[in-house]
Amino acid sequence: MTINTDDQYGDGENKSTISSSRRYSTSSYQDQSLEDDGINTTLTNDKATLIQVWKPKSYGSVKGQIPQHERLTYTWKEIDVFGEAPTDTKSREPFCSRLRHCFTSRQRRDFNPRKHLLKNVTGVARSGELLAVMGSSGAGKTTLLNALAFRSPPGVKISPIAVRALNGVPVNAEQLRARCAYVQQDDLFIPSLTTREHLVFQALLRMGRDVPASVKQHRVQEVLQELSLVKCADTIIGAPGRIKGLSGGERKRLAFASETLTDPHLLLCDEPTSGLDSFMAHSVLQVLKGMAMKGKTIILTIHQPSSELYCLFDKILLVAEGRVAFLGSPYQSAEFFSQLGIPCPPNYNPADFYVQMLAIAPAKEVECRETIKKICDSFAVSPIARDVLETASAVSGKTGSDEPYFLGPAEGVGSTGYRSSWWTQFYCILWRSWLSVLKDPMLVKVRLLQTAMVATLIGSIYFGQVLDQDGVMNINGSLFLFLTNMTFQNVFAVINVFSAELPVFLREKRSRLYRVDTYFLGKTIAELPLFIAVPFVFTSITYPMIGLKAGATHYLTTLFIVTLVANVSTSFGYLISCASSSISMALSVGPPVVIPFLIFGGFFLNSASVPSYFKYLSYLSWFRYANEALLINQWSTIVDGDIACTRANVTCPRSGEIILETFNFRVEDFTVDIICLFALIVLFRLGALFCLWLRSRSKE
């Protein structure tokens, strides 16, 4: 294949014939509206009545145009991205050195480049344009979009000289996040929510804190209509292969709807048409085109679009082997490849042609790489590339244009980078988590039924105990069984709570929807009623069946202690869940960690016999405190003569004081035991919160 690089390139900016904006002109919007300080004045058809409705400028339908001073032009320059991978030298590194690396920051570690993913990528996306990033699989489209969004995954490093700027002003991750929405390729949702509930949750957290709730609800309904989600608005989202819910196309549109709620001025989309049929793909692109016509800046990656979709693009960015093969209008691309001697054939989809030209054929790797290198080198010296470089190199106030670039303050974003207040975040998390609890039958109905069945079984086994030497042993065993059942039941009930929702949490946390503490508090408080109901059902069934100490005070005390144990074990389960990277890891770590605390409970090992080197670990055993409190509640009022010794030559405790002394328990420690149980709840939950914060910080 011969590529001619001697021809000169003319300025094709004014020659673009693929101007789809003519097809979607503003004449399709017949309503006439004027905006003045937030007042939307609409003329009726007879033009006799003025209707004034308060409507914020940043939200609403796609009819309004973004003022010139609020528009954004996104430029990036000299972006080099490298991959990081472990090397053989790390495996031979001394243990002390590897341990030290665990406590050092990521920035201080040695960086081992694996592959040059993106090579000196420079580009510009102007306001009012729809820029499509195209290329073959593995060309670096998603890597580039992640770099532009400041969302590169761990193990990927961007060169420090890379510059990303809005209106000529270099920005960091926080500044860009406040003005940008990012639609990722994989869809992550809470399966038990409906489409409307998910969008309401997103609207409450994404839209500014000064926007009235009625406007947010109206925006949700508007987005449902724009993306044809009205018919499935009350359908649960579900999980593919596990819970039946939305189809693949509906899930993709919902992901797109979540990001467009705030009507952002800059929108980055990673494969927004993936999984959609041709009609819905065209509908989504039409929405993006309408947003671009308002003055928004749209950047998307797309894999081999149809010719109908290709006509909607204002600019295209072709990526091959991590390099820029072309950046310009569709007309300029046709002219560029024609002058290289490889014109697109007539009646052929240009997108398919460009992707094929820039792909690596399995049997022609060397030839294809040589062709790609020549195309990229030719574009690098073209006038189009020089114009792009000049625009990307410009700084605020020195762009050479009539009006200097300006970066206005982000609307609705607080000093902490969140659009909603702390209480709004807490309320939304609590509301969503409570809906998930109510809609999950495995968490409510099955758990209560399981608790009732286990309680009935234990009550039947220990039914009708009398106060003799055998009854004392049986009652002590049943009380310790209260603790073991509450512990394992509640630990394994919550051990997968945070692990299962970790991907959703990390994505929403990076989008600055809520803080770590609001998420943790809302999530745990929403499940609190269930962890009060379970011990109530269990104790209410087993207590009278076994024949424990009669009296409302003793029953309520036992119920209170068992409820504390349920919440301590729940907090410990949260700690394991937040510290584990996956559900399988959490389930594997849980039982071995619980067993030592079980041994320190005083039933299998006397409290006075705990080895000195395990003494401090025994202080973290909730079995120890709860078992002592339950036995004190059961035996402290039993005096000499209340226990019948029915057999001779058998050791028989004649009073409750003797039973407590056998376990090395003291009545005076009852209050301390209750306080320690409360302290363990707080300690384990703070530890879980800290682990969750570390997990979110490592992904920043």
Side-chain angles (χ1 to χ4, degrees), residues 246-356:
L246 301 181
S247 64
E250 291 170 338
R251 291 172 62 87
K252 178 62 66 176
R253 280 180 279 152
L254 180 59
F256 180 72
S258 303
E259 299 292 342
T260 57
L261 279 169
T262 57
D263 211 20
H265 292 181
L266 174 61
L267 183 62
L268 307 179
C269 306
D270 189 13
E271 299 281 355
T273 61
S274 177
L276 302 182
D277 55 40
S278 58
F279 174 77
M280 288 312 307
H282 189 267
S283 299
V284 170
L285 262 296
Q286 279 185 322
V287 174
L288 288 174
K289 183 64 178 180
M291 295 174 68
M293 291 176 59
K294 289 176 57 179
K296 299 182 183 299
T297 306
I298 312 294
I299 305 175
L300 62 91
T301 62
I302 193 167
H303 184 68
Q304 287 187 312
S306 63
S307 56
E308 189 177 15
L309 298 182
Y310 182 79
C311 292
L312 297 177
F313 302 149
D314 296 305
K315 294 291 179 64
I316 61 173
L317 171 59
L318 301 179
V319 182
E321 293 293 292
R323 298 184 61 188
V324 177
F326 180 80
L327 173 58
S329 65
Y331 175 83
Q332 290 175 317
S333 66
E335 187 179 61
F336 173 75
F337 280 91
S338 296
Q339 293 179 351
L340 289 180
I342 45 175
C344 178
N347 300 325
Y348 198 89
N349 183 6
D352 292 338
F353 173 74
Y354 298 147
V355 171
Q356 292 175 6

Side-chain angles (χ1 to χ4, degrees), residues 461-504:
I461 295 174
Y462 291 94
F463 183 78
Q465 296 297 318
V466 295
L467 292 183
D468 55 16
Q469 60 266 39
D470 295 331
V472 169
M473 184 181 69
N474 295 337
I475 290 175
N476 291 339
S478 64
L479 290 177
F480 195 79
L481 197 58
F482 279 24
L483 307 181
T484 57
N485 179 71
M486 282 295 101
T487 294
F488 286 100
Q489 182 178 357
N490 290 286
V491 165
F492 285 100
V494 302
I495 204 170
N496 64 338
V497 167
F498 291 100
S499 299
E501 290 189 9
L502 187 62
V504 178

Side-chain angles (χ1 to χ4, degrees), residues 382-640:
S382 66
I384 303 176
R386 288 197 295 269
D387 292 340
V388 171
L389 182 60
E390 290 177 0
T391 304
S393 302
V395 296
S396 180
K398 299 180 181 180
T399 61
S401 58
D402 296 335
E403 298 181 1
Y405 282 171
F406 174 74
L407 184 62
E411 296 182 0
V413 181
S415 58
T416 58
Y418 298 95
R419 293 183 178 271
S420 55
S421 63
W422 190 96
W423 286 108
T424 302
Q425 297 174 26
F426 173 72
Y427 165 76
C428 292
I429 294 294
L430 183 63
W431 172 69
R432 185 178 73 172
S433 302
W434 180 242
L435 287 178
S436 300
V437 171
L438 293 180
K439 292 182 179 182
D440 194 346
M442 295 296 292
L443 191 61
V444 182
K445 298 179 181 179
V446 174
R447 284 206 59 202
L448 292 178
L449 179 61
Q450 174 193 11
T451 301
M453 292 177 61
V454 173
T456 304
L457 178 61
I458 295 176
S460 301
I461 295 174
Y462 291 94
F463 183 78
Q465 296 297 318
V466 295
L467 292 183
D468 55 16
Q469 60 266 39
D470 295 331
V472 169
M473 184 181 69
N474 295 337
I475 290 175
N476 291 339
S478 64
L479 290 177
F480 195 79
L481 197 58
F482 279 24
L483 307 181
T484 57
N485 179 71
M486 282 295 101
T487 294
F488 286 100
Q489 182 178 357
N490 290 286
V491 165
F492 285 100
V494 302
I495 204 170
N496 64 338
V497 167
F498 291 100
S499 299
E501 290 189 9
L502 187 62
V504 178
F505 163 73
L506 292 177
R507 172 174 293 187
E508 293 176 342
K509 175 62 175 62
R510 294 189 69 178
S511 299
R512 291 299 186 270
L513 292 189
Y514 45 73
R515 299 168 175 81
V516 179
D517 55 342
T518 56
Y519 173 77
F520 184 83
L521 288 176
K523 188 72 178 170
T524 55
I525 293 178
E527 297 177 346
L528 184 61
L530 184 60
F531 298 117
I532 296 177
V534 167
F536 173 77
V537 172
F538 182 83
T539 307
S540 299
I541 295 175
T542 54
Y543 197 92
M545 291 184 68
I546 297 175
L548 300 177
K549 183 66 176 178
T553 303
H554 292 283
Y555 162 74
L556 293 176
T557 303
T558 301
L559 176 60
F560 178 66
I561 296 171
V562 173
T563 303
L564 285 179
V565 172
N567 285 273
V568 172
S569 56
T570 299
S571 304
F572 188 72
Y574 287 146
L575 176 59
I576 296 177
S577 180
C578 294
S580 303
S581 58
S582 63
I583 297 178
S584 59
M585 179 181 177
L587 294 174
S588 301
V589 170
V593 177
V594 174
I595 294 300
F597 298 120
L598 177 68
I599 297 176
F600 296 140
F603 187 79
F604 301 104
L605 180 67
N606 193 280
S607 300
S609 303
V610 177
S612 58
Y613 44 85
F614 280 131
K615 202 73 175 179
Y616 294 101
L617 183 60
S618 67
Y619 293 150
L620 298 177
S621 173
W622 58 94
F623 290 95
R624 169 186 175 180
Y625 305 116
N627 190 32
E628 183 175 16
L630 285 177
L631 292 182
I632 292 174
N633 178 63
Q634 175 67 26
W635 302 116
S636 61
T637 58
I638 302 297
V639 297
D640 190 9

